[in-house]
Amino acid sequence: MKHELVKIIIVGGGLSGITLAHQLEEKKIDFRIIDEGINHSTKVAAGMINPMTFRRMIKTWKGDELIPTLKEFYPAIEKKIKHKFFFQRKLRRAFNSEHERDLWMERLEENEYDDYLNPPEDKKNTPSHLKAPFGNGFLSTPGYVDAKKFMQYNHDYFIEKGLLEYGKFDFSELDPSSKTYKNEEFSHLIFCEGYKGEDNPYFGYLPFSNAKGEVLTVNSDVFDKNEILNKKCFILPTENGDFKLGATYAWYTQDTSPTEEAKKELLENYNLLSSAPIEVIDHEAGIRPAVADRRPLIGEHPTHKGLYIFNGLGSKGYMIAPYCAIEFVDFLMGKGEIDQEADIQRFYKKHFNKQ
Ligand SMILES: Cc1cc2nc3c(=O)[nH]c(=O)nc-3n(C[C@H](O)[C@H](O)[C@H](O)COP(=O)(O)OP(=O)(O)OC[C@H]3O[C@@H](n4cnc5c(N)ncnc54)[C@H](O)[C@@H]3O)c2cc1C
């Protein structure tokens, strides 16, 4: 073990900070969370668990490990905090083109996709409002995490235990050489700041490529409440009875306000998916903490020992976070390594040395 795990401060109480905190608690390691109380990703997300990248019709990074892990992790948290936020859904993909349907058929022949893809649906079982001239098929997915419930219940849980306090982390009060924050000693300071990580004076050298995303909440009495629909955009039925329509991507901005362009884009994409009338009841925007190579950012600062980052969860954070939190805590306990593809050491030569 590099440093004794005696006192951990987590900066950021979004998905990354929350999953990390639960894993530390599981291992009986002391921690506290400081969160600014403003969240622009975890809370806005649709929380969909989608183990496929349809564009190339391949499984997402580490899909075979991430899915079984999250299927245990989230229910275990639900049991602990006595609140439900993880719900089952089926995902129906309407194929974009003949080529996409052919790729789906090819993958069906490969054993490693047995747990994911199902044969295309019969036309007679396809909802009449769905625009699917090239057919459609079901992807087996565990469902979705209700993002607002997830944030609220977990914050309530940690606040009640006295482990979460609201406030902005003040970098002028941090002394990395004596490992103190506001004169209080810590053994590990772990930054889980989401897209704000790019402004972090210690980790801002990492090549963040954050992606703004916008989602609409819509009403409809046509959609099946158990089915996520997906093509160009998605319609996700929530437990409240409404539906999330998402999501857009825009880079190089920290502006978290919803825009008319994104709303227009979402509605145009929706028109390619379904003919069912919808009523827009809400519009939200957030920023995904992402990296150009689409891998997380995990590890210790190259020179300021004791400072760590757990970030870069990208557009599939709800899928990635449980696995990475478990692996990271094992690493902190001296029981394993951080996956090389997620370890920030991959940027040492190209980005840190150039500072
Ligand atoms: C529109 C949209 C749709 C999405 N849909 C999905 C989806 O369907 N499925 C999926 O898996 N993922 C989805 N995501 C991605 C997912 O939301 C992210 O991967 C994940 O929430 C990132 O969590 P985080 O904790 O790293 O960041 P955040 O959620 O941004 O949390 C960071 C926290 O750090 C705090 N903080 C920052 N700086 C400081 C400071 N100096 N002091 C104190 N606190 C600080 C903030 O207050 C915040 O609460 C979506 C994201 C968006 C924007």
Side-chain angles (χ1 to χ4, degrees):
M1 196 184 309
K2 285 185 182 162
H3 316 280
E4 214 184 336
L5 281 160
V6 284
K7 209 169 196 182
I8 297 188
I9 300 177
I10 298 174
V11 180
L15 175 65
S16 54
I18 290 170
T19 49
L20 186 60
H22 278 297
Q23 191 56 19
L24 290 170
E25 189 171 56
E26 166 75 20
K27 299 290 178 189
K28 303 191 172 22
I29 297 166
D30 280 347
F31 65 89
R32 69 184 177 97
I33 308 167
I34 303 170
D35 184 76
E36 206 179 341
I38 306 164
N39 186 278
H40 291 295
S41 193
T42 300
K43 218 169 158 179
V44 176
M48 187 168 57
I49 308 294
N50 175 1
M52 285 294 287
T53 300
F54 289 124
R55 207 167 22 91
R56 290 186 288 151
M57 203 55 79
I58 52 167
K59 284 186 259 185
T60 54
W61 181 66
K62 287 193 176 288
D64 292 338
E65 288 147 279
L66 303 181
I67 297 290
T69 305
L70 71 87
K71 277 165 92 172
E72 279 188 20
F73 194 89
Y74 290 130
I77 299 181
E78 288 182 323
K79 200 169 163 203
K80 183 166 72 167
I81 70 173
K82 299 188 178 67
H83 279 291
K84 194 149 175 56
F85 53 77
F86 183 40
F87 301 101
Q88 279 192 336
R89 293 288 182 271
K90 298 186 284 183
L91 190 150
R92 189 193 285 269
R93 172 73 178 179
F95 306 134
N96 249 323
S97 61
E98 228 170 275
H99 174 64
E100 191 182 296
R101 190 193 51 212
D102 291 347
L103 279 178
W104 183 285
M105 298 306 286
E106 270 176 41
R107 297 290 180 257
L108 276 175
E109 300 292 313
E110 298 171 29
N111 293 344
E112 57 168 317
Y113 285 89
D114 282 357
D115 293 341
Y116 297 85
L117 303 182
N118 298 286
E121 281 294 288
D122 239 327
K123 264 206 174 122
K124 66 177 191 313
N125 296 330
T126 301
S128 57
H129 68 86
L130 191 73
K131 296 184 180 171
F134 304 105
N136 67 99
F138 279 108
L139 166 73
S140 305
T141 157
Y144 89 107
V145 173
D146 186 305
K148 291 200 172 48
K149 288 188 165 72
F150 177 81
M151 273 293 278
Q152 188 59 54
Y153 296 150
N154 280 296
H155 275 213
D156 290 350
Y157 173 80
F158 288 119
I159 286 170
E160 202 182 313
K161 293 192 110 187
L163 296 173
L164 167 63
E165 68 195 67
Y166 289 123
K168 193 174 165 74
F169 183 83
D170 183 353
F171 282 94
S172 69
E173 298 271 8
L174 168 65
D175 179 2
S177 54
S178 62
K179 292 218 257 176
T180 53
Y181 175 63
K182 293 190 173 171
N183 295 322
E184 184 198 333
E185 274 188 59
F186 59 82
S187 62
H188 298 66
L189 179 61
I190 306 177
F191 290 104
C192 301
E193 303 160 280
Y195 76 97
K196 289 276 184 180
E198 70 182 352
D199 301 330
N200 184 302
Y202 299 93
F203 290 100
Y205 73 88
L206 291 165
F208 280 88
S209 178
N210 298 325
K212 181 174 180 178
E214 301 193 32
V215 275
L216 302 176
T217 306
V218 302
N219 265 337
S220 163
D221 46 16
V222 176
F223 304 133
D224 184 328
K225 294 210 172 345
N226 297 307
E227 249 179 62
I228 301 168
L229 301 175
N230 184 301
K231 181 178 88 169
K232 297 270 185 204
C233 61
F234 60 79
I235 284 284
L236 183 145
T238 77
E239 284 298 296
N240 303 333
D242 49 33
F243 300 84
K244 295 283 176 199
L245 163 55
T248 56
Y249 284 80
W251 286 265
Y252 314 113
T253 176
Q254 281 207 359
D255 173 14
T256 53
S257 33
T259 62
E260 277 309 306
E261 295 105 275
K263 183 176 176 183
K264 189 166 167 265
E265 182 186 328
L266 286 168
L267 292 174
E268 279 171 7
N269 285 339
Y270 172 72
N271 280 330
L272 300 171
L273 173 70
S274 166
S275 59
I278 49 171
E279 179 201 2
V280 177
I281 52 174
D282 200 8
H283 181 184
E284 292 169 284
I287 302 186
R288 307 168 182 92
V291 188
D293 68 4
R294 292 160 196 251
R295 298 289 176 265
L297 293 171
I298 306 174
E300 188 171 24
H301 192 274
T303 53
H304 293 295
K305 297 301 167 193
L307 302 193
Y308 294 81
I309 186 166
F310 184 57
N311 204 326
L313 296 181
S315 59
K316 303 219 176 195
Y318 280 92
M319 208 167 98
I320 292 173
Y323 177 90
C324 288
I326 292 170
E327 192 179 79
F328 185 35
V329 170
D330 281 351
F331 164 78
L332 294 173
M333 295 173 75
K335 290 186 176 163
E337 293 302 320
I338 300 167
D339 193 297
Q340 279 183 7
E341 286 184 83
D343 196 325
I344 56 168
Q345 280 191 33
R346 70 192 189 276
F347 295 120
Y348 183 79
K349 262 195 195 148
K350 203 167 163 199
H351 295 272
F352 186 70
N353 266 349
K354 281 197 172 163
Q355 280 190 111

